[in-house]
Amino acid sequence: MLPLAATAAPGEPGVLKVVVLEDAPPMAYRDAAGQLTGFSVAVMQALCAEMNVRCEFEVRQFEYLLDDLASGHFDVAAVGLLNTPERRQKVLFTRPVYRSQTLFFAKPGVTPGQPEVRVSTFKGSAQEGYIRQQGWKSVGAQTAEDMVEQLVAGVAHACVVPLMSSLSLRKSRAFLQLGLVPVILQTPEFDSAASFGISPQRADLKPALDKALDRIKVNGVYDRINSKFLPFRVD
């Protein structure tokens, strides 16, 4: 275990305030009993166990999560975040937690940037920022369910999502019936690593979290979490 003093928050020794999502399966969601679970939640719990601290989880919508983290309302964001230059101006990052890709789903013949094509993406995501920079028409979604509704209703004609979010979409019969084909967006803006965020006011946490992440990837805990929640290897 890492020493407690390395991670204790002022006034709250032994507690990490962690912000998570609750509507992003399989990464973070509520189970049948209403308890938070998922890959990202389980990884964060394992990190806290390695550091001998207690995770205190609180839920936020992704759209507001980074601002809350930057303001110091939370110590850590247990959410897979692309480490973009814009985000580095606001928050710190752990070393990569898992590999990530960004997918463009559309019907054959529909390509990114076509004038008549509206693209759905998650509010506050790196993908949303990229779409705006490209000047594509876009529609914001809070959840995968929102995205499916937009696509079915014709409000959006395509979507841009992280690979992990696509797992939830592909479990929707309505989404599958649309016949959308995925293409990997190969751009420098979407690197292949997703990290957890750290409040800039808790820079002391980064070395402890990085060491804990290394440990769970060596001792088999990470692999067990991977197998429980995901259909493929992501380390």
Side-chain angles (χ1 to χ4, degrees), residues 102-122:
T102 292
L103 303 179
F104 176 84
F105 282 88
K107 291 186 177 179
V110 175
T111 58
Q114 288 180 322
E116 70 278 10
V117 173
R118 290 187 298 275
V119 180
S120 178
T121 195
F122 294 118

Side-chain angles (χ1 to χ4, degrees), residues 130-188:
Y130 175 80
I131 287 170
R132 288 176 175 173
Q133 289 175 0
Q134 300 306 306
W136 303 350
K137 293 181 180 178
S138 64
V139 183
Q142 291 285 7
T143 66
E145 289 78 10
D146 290 345
M147 189 172 285
V148 172
E149 289 178 3
Q150 293 167 354
L151 291 164
V152 169
V155 174
H157 309 102
C159 65
V160 172
V161 295
L163 172 62
M164 299 307 182
S165 300
S166 75
L167 298 177
S168 178
L169 290 175
R170 294 180 191 191
K171 289 185 177 180
S172 165
R173 180 177 299 179
F175 179 80
L176 294 176
Q177 289 176 340
L178 292 171
L180 306 184
V181 178
V183 176
I184 297 174
L185 280 183
Q186 302 280 9
T187 70

Side-chain angles (χ1 to χ4, degrees), residues 11-219:
E12 289 188 280
V15 177
L16 284 188
K17 297 179 66 177
V18 181
V19 62
V20 294
L21 306 175
E22 64 177 353
D23 51 13
M27 308 307 285
Y29 60 99
R30 292 192 183 274
D31 62 19
Q35 298 298 309
L36 286 168
T37 188
F39 176 85
S40 295
V41 174
V43 167
M44 191 66 226
Q45 289 171 327
L47 297 180
C48 284
E50 283 293 328
M51 297 189 298
N52 197 28
V53 297
R54 177 170 61 85
C55 290
E56 187 176 276
F57 290 110
E58 190 165 335
V59 171
R60 284 288 188 276
Q61 290 182 339
F62 188 88
E63 184 179 4
Y64 309 110
L65 182 146
L66 280 174
D67 286 338
D68 283 346
L69 185 65
S71 299
H73 294 161
F74 302 97
D75 299 316
V76 181
V79 178
L81 300 169
L82 296 182
N83 189 338
T84 65
E86 295 78 14
R87 287 174 173 173
R88 286 197 294 273
Q89 293 177 10
K90 287 186 171 184
V91 301
L92 307 176
F93 290 90
T94 65
R95 66 183 52 193
V97 177
Y98 60 86
R99 295 192 304 272
S100 180
Q101 293 177 325
T102 292
L103 303 179
F104 176 84
F105 282 88
K107 291 186 177 179
V110 175
T111 58
Q114 288 180 322
E116 70 278 10
V117 173
R118 290 187 298 275
V119 180
S120 178
T121 195
F122 294 118
K123 293 181 179 180
S125 66
Q127 288 78 13
E128 183 183 52
Y130 175 80
I131 287 170
R132 288 176 175 173
Q133 289 175 0
Q134 300 306 306
W136 303 350
K137 293 181 180 178
S138 64
V139 183
Q142 291 285 7
T143 66
E145 289 78 10
D146 290 345
M147 189 172 285
V148 172
E149 289 178 3
Q150 293 167 354
L151 291 164
V152 169
V155 174
H157 309 102
C159 65
V160 172
V161 295
L163 172 62
M164 299 307 182
S165 300
S166 75
L167 298 177
S168 178
L169 290 175
R170 294 180 191 191
K171 289 185 177 180
S172 165
R173 180 177 299 179
F175 179 80
L176 294 176
Q177 289 176 340
L178 292 171
L180 306 184
V181 178
V183 176
I184 297 174
L185 280 183
Q186 302 280 9
T187 70
E189 288 83 356
F190 301 137
D191 62 23
S192 61
S195 303
F196 286 172
I198 305 170
S199 168
Q201 300 176 32
R202 294 305 315 274
D204 59 298
L205 289 175
K206 178 172 170 54
L209 285 165
D210 286 347
K211 288 178 182 178
L213 184 58
D214 284 344
R215 285 178 63 86
I216 68 170
K217 287 192 174 185
V218 169
N219 65 18

